[in-house]
Amino acid sequence: RFIACPHLARTVQRCLQDGASPGPQPVLLECAPGPGILTRTLLNAGVRVVALESNSAFLPNLQSLENSLDGQLKVIYGDFFRLDPLVTGTVKPPALCSDKLFETMGVAAVPWRADVPVKIFGFLPQKKERNMLWRLLFALYECSSIYRYGRVELNIFMSEKEYKVLTAKPGEAKAYQALTVLWQVGCEIQLLHMEPWSSFVTNLKNGGLAIPKSMWLPNDHLCLVRLTPQQNLFTGSLEPTNSATFIFMVKQCLAKPKSKIADRLNSWSLDNGGKLLSELEIPKNAATRNLYPEDYRRLFEALQNSSMFTETWFHDEVLGSIRNIN
Amino acid sequence: MALLRAAVLGRARLRGGGIPWSVLRNYSSASAKEKARRNAVCERTELLEVLKARGKQLQGSNIPEVTVDKVELPPLGNVTYQDPLRKATAPGPAEERPAPGGRGESPARPRSWAEKLKKEMHMQQLKVEQMSIAAAQLALEEQTKAKPKSKAKANAKAKNSLKIPKAKAAAAWSQSHAGSCSVHAHGKPRVAAVKEGVKAQRPQRVLEDKESSQHKILQQTVQSNLECLLFLQQPEEAERFLLLYHSSPKKRGLLNVDAYNIVMRSWARKGCLQRVNWLLSLLESVGLRPSLDSYAALLECLGRNQSPASAIQRCVQQLKNDGFHVDELFQKCLFEEDEKEKVLRAIRVVQPKYQLPPPPRPQICKSSLLRDFYSRETTVSYPKLDFSLRELQERFQQQLQMELDNTVTVESVEATKPLTPQAIKARKLLATLRSQWRDSILQALQKSKHNMSKLKTRSRYNTLYPYLCLLPDEEYVDIMLQILNTVSPQGESLAVLARELSSKVYNRYITQRKLRSRQLEKVQEVYEGYIHLLAKDGRPDGYLPREYWEKLVAEAGFGPSLSLKDCSWPYVLLMRLGMHMLELLVQAVKVPRNILNPRLEPRLIPVLYHIYSFRSSWQVGLIKPHPVFSQIVSDAAETLLTFNSSSIPMLCPPVPWTSPHFGAFVLNDTRLMRFVDGAFQHQLLLEQCPPVNLHPVLDALNQLGNCAWKINQPVLDIIISIFNDKGNEKLDIPPPVSEAPRPPAAPGNSSTWSKSQKHELLQCKKKAAEMHSLRMDALYKLSIANYVRDKVFWFPHNMDFRGRTYPCPPYFNHLGNDVTRAILLFAEGRPLGPKGLDWLKIHLINLTGLKKKNALQERLEYANEIMEEILDSADHPLTGRKWWMNTDEPWQALACCMEIAKASRSPDPAAYVSHFPVHQDGSCNGLQHYAALGRDLIGAISVNLMPCSVPQDVYSAVAQQVEEFRKKDAAQGVRIAQVLQGFISRKVVKQTVMTVVYGVTRYGGRLQMEKRLKEIDEFPEEYLWEASHYLVKQVFNGIKEMFSATRDIQNWLTESAKLIAQSGRTVEWVTPLGLPIVQPYYRSRSTVLNCSMQHLSVKHASSSQKPDTVKQKNAFPPNFIHSLDSTHMMLTALHCLRQGLTFVSVHDCYWTHALTVDIMNEVCRQQFVALHSEKILQDLSEFMLEKYCSPGREMRAPWQKKLMEQLSSVPKTGEFNLNKVMDSTYFFS
């Protein structure tokens, strides 16, 4: 999916530069620029761009553009959404490793609390939107892959329905999911722009727009969403090493959103959940989908501090589940 | 189905005439609307053309004909684009007339023929009126499909459809129209009913396609509910439940005659004539006709009350008016308890001299393949068992007692280990916990039942309640505790546990019913007579087991009442019941948290917890035991195993199969045909099939089941000693979990571990889980074997839907692995005879896998050469030179070594009595059948259909071929081909070649290859994927090159199946032995069950849904070949029986005594030649043509023509002379 209209390209460019602090701008990694319309717009606006293109058909054009400029553009062959593949063995292009990518880009890792080292722009592939959101989430919580280099800022176009899920409020049936809680805890989510599906061009053979189906949520637009990792994500007792437990806990809780949080805790025999909940001022009869993302974080930290997870079977399950999702 | 065909037809027509799609698309701009409009125009012109043509045709002909014009086909619900023409004509589908749809819409059509069409339609209706409503509707449906040319044909068709059991097909059909039919009972109004039906049929059909599977499940649920209440002897409850449905016009559709009958029977049992009469009137008020069973219930009640003759006379008169005969009552009704006596008493009041009708004359199967087998002229005596009557009688009692107990508790083979003090402590603890749990589960159960019973008074009715009353509460608790013991530490899927729980309840209920209905008494009585046939001191002779059993049943006058009324529970209900019990279990079973660690504060925590496991987007509910519980269980190391009685081999000869419902175990419910839950089409097909056609199959199963077995004790002892030591992976004895690799101890909290540490831990856990399940499997097998070590036992057999036979007991049977096969011996001994010892030696060499390419004589010579090794292995299996351990099948080889040692040391080896089974394997049996089907000369040679001096090996040949390909590629610098140098062997390609005929896909083939390559230690791991991918491609190419006729046949079968499935029907055929087969692959649909613990999605496929084209197509060739190999096996089994041989089979591996190997081989070859001398492919083609495009059917549509062409173009055969097989030594060897 590409941006074909120069007008839209300008809008996106403005959105991307929006809210930037004065001073030197971080480099922008554009994923799958395709014909390069946005690329040119960005270059014209003086942005340093790294273009990551996986379709070799577009490469020559981009490379000639690269050669015509004085280092403002760098073109790399690769697919952002096949970064750090899980299979063992040699990595075959266009799949690539994040450390290679960042080395080529010339970006070094910065501490978590530092400013954004890299901005990334791209479209979530529609067919595996969900999958990608989960993978990015795991990378974020584990500080692995791109997040090893600091709080990388994602500016991505995603379907409206996924945006609705990410920004759902507690209690919203269907929309409020484990993904919601985890993204909201992990990132600041900012809607930059909404654009109808028809404004984009795809390179699919049938020329269709490939709009994912949606039954419950509105899905008329593509949303440009900025996901900036929270600076204070790892300030409490949540750490990259134990974050898998947190993810697992949230997933288990929201697998059945109407159940009561107290029942869930009890069924895992995580000690008397009632007492813990009242300490956190969470009503005892609250359904899991009524808890705020922040509540989950507090709940987890309280459990972690009471070192209950280690006493039980819980961490075994976490280990078991990592492989399945990741 | 008609709908789908219509849909396909509609599309095909569109594409066939006018402007082709592709052209249209090229012209059309992006506007989708415009495209649609153009299509509509195109279709309309096309439609008009068809109408015109039809008009002309009608003018020319005077023969009244059923008009199935395309216009009047039912609304095409699933066609994606809407046909504007149709939309316009049929604003309300309910009003749509059966006569042409587009009336008034197309001015081009001459009016006169529209009239004519209408008239014809009317005539059609008149014809149909003569039949009952249900049948008429069916017939009409049939006719709209079939378009018979003459009246006679129409009637024939209708009669055919009448044969379909009312209860299943017709009733279900008429039910959906109950709303419209209800006013018309019988007599004249039926005409109207038919008209109504015709009207109602079309709009509803769309609906019905969607709902009928749901409908059927609900209907089945209602009936099984009523059956439960009947069993509980609560007629009031049953009636109340019935009225719940009866009084609501919506739900009434779920009731059919059988539902009313059940309630009538429960009143009749109490002698309440009034209620029965009232129900009869209720039944008629909704337009249902009383069935034979209704009259049986009424008569039973009259008989029980000793009613006056006049009342009975009236009833009998009514029965006759409805077209039934009194004799039919005793021939068809399945009576329980004393029902039959009461009915008879009633009949004898009005007809004092009434005699029970004579049993039907036994029919003889007429299959040409079995003409000699069944011919009466030469009665031969079939072999007897080596048991006296008394012995068999005792064994029967033992078996009966075991089945009455439902479960068998077996001392595990680990029991010989000494007990540690820790274990004693843990056992004590477990015992106290269990007794606490027993109490708490009982309490929870009673509480939940109490709550449910309160609900009953209100309008909401809990359907589960009766199912929780069928057994004493304690039995439910027993079942739940049993499940608790089997949950593995890794957890178990919720659905699996639920299914297990409820099926245990179901089995016990069936046992109870058999006891209650006095069915068991009757079986016992017949069995007592039956063993006269088998015992060595029995008199009768010349009967097959089935024939003799049927004769005894007829003589005792039991009629059909030995089988129970069909009372299976729908799958959804089973799941609900299981889930309810599981919930109780999770809630009730608790353990103090500090039980192992006194430092913790005491608090009760649940033993089982419910958790989700995430698999990509999927979440699966699991039940896991708390580690504390797992710890206690593993500490206790309990040595008692509890099995269902059906998991243990039978201790007496199985009850012979006499019908699809009856045979195998004495009490345990066994199906003749195995199938997945919810697939009832096999059962239906078997029921519709004339019983005589099933005789060969039943007789073959009985022959396999009547083989007596015993345990090879010395071998078993050696295996157990290794098992209880540390196991041995190389010898396939799984080591205990304590031998599992331990993760390196990592410091600190698990959350601080690095990724690789976590990964390693995970790997260890996975390995431990695998080892646990392997270990348990072996433990079950060995423990059962140990349990029957001094006994003689039998494996009752049943079959899958292709006719492949399997022993019923699941864990321990002769189909198992090398270990289990090695501990089985025939109970019957035969002297070795002159060639027996040689056969044993050849068999041993076969088991080693060493001299595969050598002639039999060479194998024998080799065996003689290494006699010293053989004797050493036999004498010092664990301390000697251990030659046997390095063979393909070490345990069977060891057993064989021991047998050879004993035989050769006996004074006269020829007289040595051997119990040892000698195997003869088909060499790539699937390809053998293909090669014979196609008379493919090259293929036939490579799979040993041609006599050769040395055995041909198709696997080596393929491996060679692949190696050649590889060399070529390697020379051209293909990297992976170079890597594979030296790794391509027979073993690597074998599995894939073997399964290619059975339709293995590239995907599956690659996985097989990967497994083989992984076994080679030197193979570099990083190339696994690429190498396996490359290899599977080359193997496929190799086979293509070598077997050309096979490919033609395979393609023909695939293509035929594809077209059939695309026409909306499932692929069906009949084996040369007369077994009807249907492929049960449908697009499945899932229902979500709301259970309080978790929502459960239950997948079910049913015949009312569309077939799954891909599966139908891909599975047809292998299924067809399997149906042939099973036919060959059954033919061999039957003819071996006639020769007095002991015979069993593991699919294409046939076993017999060493003495009789030569005879078996001859029979095997004869039967192969006989089987393939039949025109198998032609017969198949004819059968399918008849079934899928019978001549009366519409032939204009291109797809139909295509199907017909496809089905009639049977692949050509080569010039292989089939009779050569008779002399081929290595055909089976």
Side-chain angles (χ1 to χ4, degrees), chain B residues 1-11 73 76 144-146 1062-1065 1188 1193 1199-1200:
Chain B
M1 255 182 294
L3 175 77
L4 181 79
R5 195 166 315 117
V8 173
L9 189 89
R11 276 190 195 155
L73 277 158
L76 311 180
T144 31
K145 273 188 230 152
Q1062 278 173 348
S1063 79
R1065 310 190 61 176
Y1188 300 109
R1193 213 161 266 174
W1199 69 266
Q1200 272 166 323

Side-chain angles (χ1 to χ4, degrees), chain A residues 241 252 256 310 317 319 324, chain B residues 612 614 624 749 751 761 1092:
Chain A
T241 45
Q252 287 293 338
K256 208 183 165 195
T310 47
E317 304 306 326
L319 279 175
N324 285 332
Chain B
Y612 290 95
F614 300 94
K624 291 203 179 195
N749 191 314
S751 54
L761 184 75
S1092 68

Side-chain angles (χ1 to χ4, degrees), chain A residues 232-251:
Chain A
N232 61 358
L233 182 59
F234 299 116
T235 48
S237 49
L238 181 68
E239 286 159 33
T241 45
N242 63 19
S243 57
T245 317
F246 176 60
I247 295 176
F248 181 73
M249 186 191 88
V250 172
K251 284 189 91 167

Side-chain angles (χ1 to χ4, degrees), chain A residues 142 144 241-242 244-245 248 251-252 255-256 264 266-272 304 310-313 315-317 319-326, chain B residues 593 600-601 603 605-606 608-616 619 624 626-627 749-753 755 758-759 761-762 765 1091-1095:
Chain A
E142 280 178 353
S144 60
T241 45
N242 63 19
T245 317
F248 181 73
K251 284 189 91 167
Q252 287 293 338
K256 208 183 165 195
R264 291 270 91 177
N266 282 335
S267 77
W268 304 327
S269 48
L270 284 177
D271 216 320
N272 29 9
Q304 189 71 22
T310 47
E311 286 284 339
T312 58
W313 47 270
H315 77 264
D316 293 357
E317 304 306 326
L319 279 175
S321 69
I322 293 174
R323 207 68 211 156
N324 285 332
I325 322 162
N326 215 340
Chain B
R593 192 165 74 117
L600 297 171
E601 55 177 303
R603 197 167 58 86
I605 54 167
L608 297 178
Y609 56 92
H610 171 222
I611 200 167
Y612 290 95
S613 153
F614 300 94
R615 292 174 194 159
S616 64
Q619 52 194 40
K624 291 203 179 195
H626 196 279
N749 191 314
S750 66
S751 54
T752 56
W753 291 353
K755 213 169 178 179
K758 283 181 183 172
H759 185 74
L761 184 75
L762 215 65
K765 278 182 171 279
C1091 301
S1092 68
M1093 189 152 46
Q1094 185 196 318
H1095 291 198

Side-chain angles (χ1 to χ4, degrees), chain B residues 519-571:
Chain B
Q519 190 250 12
L520 178 62
E521 276 171 48
K522 294 174 191 163
V523 171
Q524 227 170 329
E525 191 186 324
V526 178
Y527 196 92
E528 250 162 62
Y530 168 67
I531 48 178
H532 284 267
L533 178 74
L534 303 177
K536 60 182 173 193
D537 49 351
R539 274 159 289 111
D541 225 349
Y543 285 99
L544 290 167
R546 172 189 52 79
E547 291 172 339
Y548 194 62
W549 183 278
E550 280 171 350
K551 177 174 165 295
L552 291 172
V553 170
E555 281 169 6
F558 289 144
S561 54
L562 272 190
S563 29
L564 274 189
K565 278 204 171 84
D566 179 43
C567 47
S568 58
W569 292 349
Y571 187 55

Side-chain angles (χ1 to χ4, degrees), chain B residues 558-590:
Chain B
F558 289 144
S561 54
L562 272 190
S563 29
L564 274 189
K565 278 204 171 84
D566 179 43
C567 47
S568 58
W569 292 349
Y571 187 55
V572 173
L573 191 119
L574 284 168
M575 289 312 286
R576 271 192 197 283
L577 179 62
M579 281 298 282
H580 182 77
M581 291 171 72
L582 200 56
E583 276 161 24
L584 288 178
L585 197 61
V586 171
Q587 281 163 21
V589 180
K590 300 212 163 145

Side-chain angles (χ1 to χ4, degrees), chain B residues 990-1004:
Chain B
K990 182 175 171 182
Q991 197 189 8
T992 311
V993 175
M994 204 188 314
T995 46
V996 134
V997 263
Y998 299 132
V1000 77
T1001 55
R1002 292 237 157 145
Y1003 179 80

Side-chain angles (χ1 to χ4, degrees), chain B residues 485-718:
Chain B
N485 286 340
T486 58
V487 177
S488 85
Q490 285 78 36
E492 192 80 72
S493 136
L494 209 65
V496 170
L497 286 177
R499 184 77 175 81
E500 230 169 280
L501 279 166
S502 56
S503 64
K504 278 184 199 262
V505 174
Y506 176 74
N507 284 338
R508 291 191 187 208
Y509 160 66
I510 291 296
T511 308
Q512 288 305 314
R513 265 192 65 166
K514 285 185 177 167
L515 289 177
R516 181 86 67 80
S517 68
R518 305 214 331 236
Q519 190 250 12
L520 178 62
E521 276 171 48
K522 294 174 191 163
V523 171
Q524 227 170 329
E525 191 186 324
V526 178
Y527 196 92
E528 250 162 62
Y530 168 67
I531 48 178
H532 284 267
L533 178 74
L534 303 177
K536 60 182 173 193
D537 49 351
R539 274 159 289 111
D541 225 349
Y543 285 99
L544 290 167
R546 172 189 52 79
E547 291 172 339
Y548 194 62
W549 183 278
E550 280 171 350
K551 177 174 165 295
L552 291 172
V553 170
E555 281 169 6
F558 289 144
S561 54
L562 272 190
S563 29
L564 274 189
K565 278 204 171 84
D566 179 43
C567 47
S568 58
W569 292 349
Y571 187 55
V572 173
L573 191 119
L574 284 168
M575 289 312 286
R576 271 192 197 283
L577 179 62
M579 281 298 282
H580 182 77
M581 291 171 72
L582 200 56
E583 276 161 24
L584 288 178
L585 197 61
V586 171
Q587 281 163 21
V589 180
K590 300 212 163 145
V591 65
R593 192 165 74 117
N594 60 349
I595 200 155
L596 294 181
N597 187 351
R599 281 181 297 119
L600 297 171
E601 55 177 303
R603 197 167 58 86
L604 285 179
I605 54 167
V607 165
L608 297 178
Y609 56 92
H610 171 222
I611 200 167
Y612 290 95
S613 153
F614 300 94
R615 292 174 194 159
S616 64
S617 64
W618 214 222
Q619 52 194 40
V620 182
L622 293 181
I623 293 290
K624 291 203 179 195
H626 196 279
V628 169
F629 173 68
S630 303
Q631 187 62 50
I632 303 174
V633 169
S634 88
D635 285 349
E638 288 186 311
T639 51
L640 287 182
L641 298 170
T642 304
F643 294 102
N644 273 348
S645 55
S646 58
S647 304
I648 307 285
M650 284 183 79
L651 305 177
C652 67
V655 175
W657 286 106
T658 54
S659 80
H661 310 281
F662 187 81
F665 289 101
V666 183
L667 275 174
N668 282 310
D669 208 30
T670 323
R671 289 160 171 167
L672 176 67
M673 204 175 254
R674 303 168 166 220
F675 46 82
V676 290
D677 285 309
F680 45 84
Q681 53 273 15
H682 302 299
Q683 200 70 29
L684 214 65
L685 207 59
L686 289 176
E687 274 163 21
Q688 286 167 15
C689 166
V692 65
N693 287 4
L694 290 179
H695 284 173
V697 176
L698 298 177
D699 289 333
L701 285 170
N702 292 337
Q703 143 88 339
L704 297 171
N706 273 345
C707 172
W709 297 89
K710 66 176 192 173
I711 293 290
N712 191 343
Q713 296 189 15
V715 178
L716 178 64
D717 289 335
I718 295 171

